Amino acid sequence: MALKAKVLYDFNSENTGEISITENELVTLYSEEEFDGWLEGVNSRGETGLFPASYVDILKSESASVASNNNNGISSAIDSPPNSVSGGHDSSYPPQSQALNIAIKLPTPTHSASSAPPPRHNYQTSQGSDDDWDDDWDDNSTAGDGQSSTIGSAPSGYTVTTSLPGRRSSAQQQAKSSATVGRNLNRFSTFVKSGGEAFLLGNASAFVKDGDKICVVMGPHGPEWQEDPYPFTCTIDDPTKQTKFKGMKSYMSYGLTPSHTQTQVNRRYKHFDWLYARLVERFPVISVPHLPEKQATGRFEEDFISKRRKGLIWWMNHMTSHPVLARCDVFQHFLTCSSNDEKAWKQGKRKAERDELVGANFFLTISTPAVPLDLQEVESKIEGFKVFTKKMDENSLVVNATINEFARKQITGFKKEYQKVGQSFKLLGQAFEMDQQTYSSGLNRAIAYTGETYETIGEYFAEQPRQDLDPISDLLDIYKGHLSNFPDIIHVQKGALTKVKECLKQEGEGDINERCNIISCATLAEIQYFHRTRVRDFRAQMQHHLQQQISFFQKITAKLEDALHKYDDDQ
């Protein structure tokens, strides 16, 4: 008889490998053994995966018969799990027997803690006609070609200038740490994929040079990224259409001019796309702004080109103003490598794709304030920020939908209605012209002009959203990307706090507290930067919106006053 459990609370899956369960639902378990607070089983919809053990009540009346046929409480159902559907197992998920190896620390776990994690959001670099890498700017090398292990090795020429405080130097000490603090059963969680778990358990090792060191300082409102001493900006010119293969292939090229070099370089959208993927992999707790969406068709239409350029300008402004992203090597390579130097581009590309300081090793680059944070206070701040981002996301969607609907009415409805009013006045003027009296000619002309005025005002309304509403929509789009990044960032931080709580009663885990403090400082510094940037951007954008509105209605007022003066002429 299968082992059953009754669901006590609703649980909505957030990561690959988890399944959703609902209150009072009966689920089938593979085993009643818990691993880091998770159970594995099948819900009533046939989905296979993980769910919190505290959310279900195992029906003991059925467990006895199951236990008599099991070895160490492992159900025979493990040997032949049901076919998975969406939300359940896939070919990359380890078999149950291997997952148990992870939880009880057998020598050969399925997933190596040293393997490089995939980028956040499972972001894929571009493919298709807009983005294929088929020109002279690239070769067939990938991030994995010739890549050395990120654990226990370092590229030549690197000097050890910073290291993790209290980091264990011997394999024996690391083994001791991992033996007392278990690894997550769910190897698809963001905490695991980002490298946060591996770092926290002491499985990160790399040499860090001075140029890669990232400093967190204590500001008046908490941890902050250290300011960039050499800030810069970068302009993006209108793109030009280029061709290759004797005109058989076309693409758009954007001219970028950084202020600190004053030298223009040309980049295609696929180059932005490649850069984004590298940044997401490199910085697991930094919100890398999202690029404008791709489009397979209509890539050379004027409206799409204009909208993409505006999106790239917003993206670039957020990149150059970030104190960490702005000075990272791969971004500087993107901005400064000559468009004509194919060799230098390839060298920089390979270096970025073989970067050792990704995933768990990223946290080795963080230098924190001398006084550690209060982890309870950190948890409170993280929870408050989680609530804030959820509410901001919900209300941003409301604002975006409202202004888009209002813009649609201005472009179509308002224009049409004002033109109808204008045409009606012109018809009245035409009727008055049938009177041949000379004293009525001035009135006739004034009425005709009034009709033209209302038609012109209709055109004003149709053109105005580009000036005041579209910029707000563009700003909300870039923040929509940031808000979608933070759940993963928060998940890394909360995963670290959970691990610390697990080992509170264990001795010799001071290093874990120090490593959790590093993750906490980096996370809170990024949150602080987000708030400062948000205040800056929305203040400037709302000021721009109101200034445009005032100019718009002043223009309408001036037009109406001009029409009014036409009636002063008696002849």
Side-chain angles (χ1 to χ4, degrees):
M1 184 180 297
L3 184 62
K4 298 285 187 179
K6 183 178 180 180
V7 179
L8 302 177
Y9 315 102
D10 291 345
F11 171 71
N12 296 319
S13 63
E14 297 181 352
N15 297 288
T16 305
E18 300 172 357
I19 58 174
S20 298
I21 53 178
T22 56
E23 185 179 358
N24 296 324
E25 178 183 359
L26 286 180
V27 295
T28 303
L29 304 180
Y30 287 150
S31 167
E32 59 181 319
E33 289 284 335
E34 295 182 18
F35 306 103
D36 284 345
W38 293 84
L39 289 171
E40 185 175 23
V42 186
N43 62 17
S44 59
R45 296 177 297 281
E47 299 171 342
T48 302
L50 303 168
F51 48 84
S54 60
Y55 280 51
V56 300
D57 181 25
I58 298 177
L59 303 179
K60 296 297 184 180
S61 60
E62 298 183 7
S63 63
S65 61
V66 177
S68 65
N69 295 321
N70 287 349
N71 181 20
N72 297 326
I74 303 174
S75 171
S76 59
I78 297 174
D79 297 328
S80 56
N83 293 332
S84 63
V85 293
S86 176
H89 282 296
D90 60 24
S91 59
S92 62
Y93 192 77
Q96 179 73 0
S97 59
Q98 293 177 332
L100 290 174
N101 286 347
I102 296 172
I104 63 178
K105 306 298 174 296
L106 291 182
T108 56
T110 301
H111 296 271
S112 171
S114 64
S115 58
R120 190 163 65 237
H121 312 301
N122 294 324
Y123 188 86
Q124 301 295 323
T125 52
S126 297
Q127 296 178 357
S129 58
D130 187 29
D131 315 300
D132 50 341
W133 288 88
D134 56 0
D135 58 15
D136 293 336
W137 274 59
D138 186 63
D139 57 13
N140 294 326
S141 64
T142 64
D145 291 342
Q147 184 174 7
S148 60
S149 170
T150 59
I151 303 300
S153 62
S156 59
Y158 276 37
T159 303
V160 182
T161 56
T162 179
S163 61
L164 175 64
R167 178 161 55 89
R168 292 185 167 104
S169 59
S170 70
Q172 183 179 4
Q173 288 176 306
Q174 291 182 359
K176 178 181 177 182
S177 173
S178 62
T180 55
V181 183
R183 296 171 62 202
N184 281 3
L185 177 63
N186 184 4
R187 310 310 295 164
F188 297 102
S189 72
T190 305
F191 179 49
V192 175
K193 294 191 297 182
S194 67
E197 182 194 58
F199 171 73
L200 200 70
L201 297 182
N203 293 327
S205 176
F207 291 102
V208 180
K209 55 183 180 177
D210 285 332
D212 294 320
K213 188 176 180 181
I214 300 172
C215 292
V216 177
V217 298
M218 188 57 67
H221 304 288
E224 298 178 351
W225 298 120
Q226 188 176 54
E227 290 292 329
D228 185 354
Y230 306 105
F232 66 95
T233 59
C234 181
T235 61
I236 301 181
D237 296 339
D238 287 327
T240 57
K241 189 175 182 180
Q242 306 290 334
T243 61
K244 61 180 183 178
F245 301 140
K246 298 182 178 180
M248 294 180 64
K249 183 175 180 58
S250 301
Y251 60 90
M252 302 303 298
S253 177
Y254 297 85
L256 314 181
T257 307
S259 61
H260 62 309
T261 65
Q262 289 299 318
T263 301
Q264 179 173 302
V265 297
N266 296 313
R267 298 290 184 259
R268 294 172 58 180
Y269 180 82
K270 69 176 185 180
H271 299 130
F272 285 92
D273 195 32
W274 170 83
L275 172 63
Y276 175 83
R278 300 282 71 76
L279 292 170
V280 169
E281 183 182 32
R282 177 71 169 78
F283 301 104
V285 292
I286 291 179
S287 177
V288 181
H290 288 201
L291 288 169
E293 294 181 355
K294 304 171 189 141
Q295 183 167 311
T297 59
R299 293 180 292 112
F300 303 115
E301 294 178 1
E302 184 176 348
D303 287 345
F304 173 74
I305 292 173
S306 174
K307 183 175 178 60
R308 173 175 276 187
R309 176 175 176 264
K310 288 191 296 183
L312 290 176
I313 290 174
W314 271 112
W315 184 87
M316 184 62 71
N317 289 341
H318 273 225
M319 285 293 302
T320 56
S321 64
H322 196 289
V324 177
L325 297 178
R327 66 185 184 91
C328 72
D329 289 346
V330 64
F331 185 52
Q332 288 297 321
H333 173 67
F334 174 83
L335 292 178
T336 61
C337 183
S338 172
S339 309
N340 300 318
D341 194 339
E342 176 187 347
K343 182 178 179 180
W345 172 261
K346 289 182 178 181
Q347 288 175 343
K349 179 176 180 293
R350 292 192 190 101
K351 179 182 177 183
E353 291 173 346
R354 295 169 182 171
D355 190 356
E356 194 179 38
L357 299 176
V358 299
N361 289 344
F362 160 76
F363 297 103
L364 299 177
T365 67
I366 305 296
S367 174
T368 61
V371 179
L373 302 175
D374 182 332
L375 293 186
Q376 287 187 340
E377 185 179 345
V378 170
E379 187 172 20
S380 176
K381 287 183 177 181
I382 293 295
E383 196 59 36
F385 183 70
K386 181 180 178 181
V387 174
F388 168 82
T389 52
K390 184 175 185 295
K391 183 61 68 175
M392 179 179 173
D393 189 34
E394 292 173 352
N395 292 341
S396 294
L397 291 174
V398 172
V399 172
N400 208 19
T402 302
I403 64 175
N404 284 336
E405 176 63 17
F406 187 54
R408 186 191 64 80
K409 289 180 179 179
Q410 284 192 223
I411 294 171
T412 57
F414 289 10
K415 177 182 177 180
K416 183 178 180 181
E417 294 303 317
Y418 271 88
Q419 287 180 338
K420 284 173 64 176
V421 171
Q423 289 169 2
S424 67
F425 283 144
K426 291 171 76 173
L427 290 173
L428 180 63
Q430 291 174 6
F432 283 2
E433 286 179 359
M434 297 181 68
D435 177 16
Q436 299 298 317
Q437 301 298 331
T438 57
Y439 53 78
S440 66
S441 60
L443 173 64
N444 298 344
R445 289 193 298 270
I447 291 177
Y449 187 82
T450 301
E452 294 173 358
T453 296
Y454 273 84
E455 289 182 336
T456 301
I457 291 174
E459 294 291 344
Y460 288 169
F461 272 101
E463 297 168 358
Q464 187 59 23
R466 293 179 179 269
Q467 308 301 321
D468 54 20
L469 295 179
D470 285 0
I472 293 180
S473 184
D474 293 337
L475 177 63
L476 292 174
D477 281 344
I478 195 76
Y479 274 89
K480 177 183 177 183
H482 282 301
L483 292 173
S484 69
N485 288 342
F486 275 106
D488 283 347
I489 295 173
I490 291 173
H491 191 79
V492 174
Q493 170 62 36
K494 295 185 75 171
L497 290 173
T498 300
K499 287 294 182 189
V500 170
K501 291 178 181 178
E502 288 177 6
C503 67
L504 280 177
K505 297 182 180 180
Q506 301 175 8
E507 297 181 359
E509 294 302 334
D511 289 354
I512 285 188
N513 288 331
E514 293 177 7
R515 289 190 282 266
C516 183
N517 183 66
I518 289 176
I519 296 177
S520 299
C521 285
T523 304
L524 292 182
E526 183 61 17
I527 289 174
Q528 188 66 234
Y529 173 76
F530 171 82
H531 281 313
R532 288 185 178 277
T533 306
R534 171 183 58 84
V535 170
R536 177 200 70 189
D537 288 346
F538 278 88
R539 175 183 284 120
Q541 199 56 63
M542 292 308 299
Q543 289 174 336
H544 173 79
H545 172 76
L546 293 174
Q547 289 167 352
Q548 290 295 319
Q549 284 277 289
I550 292 170
S551 298
F552 171 63
F553 285 108
Q554 286 176 340
K555 185 165 64 172
I556 291 177
T557 300
K559 195 69 177 175
L560 292 173
E561 288 177 343
D562 189 30
L564 176 62
H565 293 322
K566 298 295 182 182
Y567 292 90
D568 295 338
D569 185 6
D570 293 334
Q571 301 299 324

